[in-house]
Amino acid sequence: MKQQLYQQLLEKKKTGRKSFAVLIDPDKVTPANIEQLVQLATDAAVDYFFVGGSLVISQNLDECIQQIKATCHIPVILFPGSPSQVSKHADALLYLSLISGRNPELLIGQHVISAPFVKRSGLEIMPTGYMVIDGGAPTTVSYISNAAPIPADKADIAMCTAMAGEMLGMKLIYMDAGSGAKRPITEHMIHRVATHIEAPLIVGGGITTPEKAYDNAKAGADVIVVGNAIEKDASLIKELATAVHSVHAAIV
Ligand code: 1GP
């Protein structure tokens, strides 16, 4: 199995370098938007594009990824809301298991059904323990999965969930307050989780400012993901990327 991007993430973690990922929801972009995002992301040295959404209604996932791949070298990592969101044009796939929920379909059921198809895609598969944290607004994933998020002030539940996920073999942990969350994940919870796992930690949901991105990375997130705020104002990419990348400089 390919492990190129994962090895790169491990290497970055070892050397204290933080990554910034721009989340693109294929339902919300046009070819002109993508062109602009790619340009801004290239200029800002963005580390990854995450592509996907809880619900992808349109059919342009392949086109969206092909356009990104044709115009830049930033790796594209799928962040799928369902097994239908797999595209062989991407570089890797976050193979998500919703470990904060108790819905067997999203823990293992859908994976079983789509396993041969996912394997045939040839993508780098990144087994990811996906944890939804209460961000003050119901998220699509919580609604669809009928799974309660982890309460925002229960850092120990998040910590134990992440530890269990890692011991079950998850290679990444993704803590998500949900797209457009009113309250992003607290630094306290991030720190609690980050200090109890070795796997790289991805954090997203409701991050709208470079300061918050910086604080989250400083608290222990290895990859910061921003979607909504960039959809509203793409020029934020530069400041967000600079803030996240500066964390490494601040700790050495
Ligand atoms: C959501 O973590 C992502 O799944 C990003 O959230 O769109 O709020 O930045 P935002």
Side-chain angles (χ1 to χ4, degrees):
M1 232 193 290
K2 287 194 273 184
Q3 285 218 329
Q4 217 177 320
L5 286 178
Y6 183 65
Q7 287 305 331
Q8 187 193 85
L9 274 169
L10 287 182
E11 194 52 41
K12 285 187 185 177
K13 189 173 172 76
K14 226 192 308 174
T15 51
R17 281 175 295 153
K18 308 291 180 173
S19 302
F20 180 60
V22 171
L23 173 63
I24 296 183
D25 182 338
D27 278 346
K28 295 185 185 157
V29 285
T30 62
N33 284 147
I34 296 174
E35 194 184 324
Q36 185 206 18
L37 286 172
V38 166
Q39 188 58 55
L40 291 167
T42 306
D43 292 347
V46 163
D47 300 274
Y48 308 103
F49 280 115
F50 280 12
V51 177
S54 310
L55 270 185
V56 173
I57 300 160
S58 61
Q59 302 278 315
N60 64 351
L61 180 67
D62 280 337
E63 287 79 358
C64 170
I65 295 170
Q66 280 174 296
Q67 188 186 344
I68 299 171
K69 296 300 300 174
T71 48
C72 72
H73 296 293
I74 300 171
V76 174
I77 300 180
L78 291 166
F79 173 40
S82 75
S84 62
Q85 292 174 37
V86 173
S87 167
K88 64 175 191 311
H89 303 291
D91 297 291
L93 168 77
L94 295 179
Y95 198 54
L96 304 168
S97 179
L98 183 62
I99 58 174
S100 61
R102 296 297 177 267
N103 178 335
E105 276 309 302
L106 296 185
L107 272 166
I108 181 70
Q110 295 194 353
H111 310 69
V112 173
I113 292 166
S114 59
F117 164 68
V118 170
K119 183 130 194 176
R120 263 201 311 275
S121 71
L123 292 165
E124 176 177 347
I125 307 294
M126 298 169 151
T128 304
Y130 187 51
M131 297 168 38
V132 179
I133 314 297
D134 187 6
T139 65
T140 310
V141 65
S142 293
Y143 174 76
I144 290 185
S145 62
N146 196 19
I150 295 177
D153 59 349
K154 302 286 186 213
D156 283 350
I157 298 182
M159 175 193 88
C160 293
T161 307
M163 287 172 73
E166 179 168 55
M167 288 189 285
L168 279 166
M170 309 288 173
K171 301 281 190 223
L172 296 168
I173 297 291
Y174 190 152
M175 289 210 286
D176 195 348
S179 200
K182 290 195 189 124
R183 290 189 303 265
I185 300 169
T186 63
E187 278 75 43
H188 172 67
M189 183 182 273
I190 293 169
H191 185 255
R192 194 99 182 106
V193 170
T195 49
H196 286 84
I197 58 170
E198 276 153 47
L201 178 62
I202 306 171
V203 172
I207 299 171
T208 57
T209 62
E211 294 73 26
K212 188 69 188 165
Y214 178 91
D215 289 347
N216 277 194
K218 185 113 178 137
D222 296 291
V223 182
I224 297 290
V225 187
V226 177
N228 253 269
I230 290 170
E231 277 162 25
K232 291 189 187 126
D233 177 8
S235 69
L236 267 178
I237 290 179
K238 177 84 186 162
E239 287 168 72
L240 287 163
T242 306
V244 172
H245 291 149
S246 73
V247 174
H248 176 239
I251 51 172
V252 283

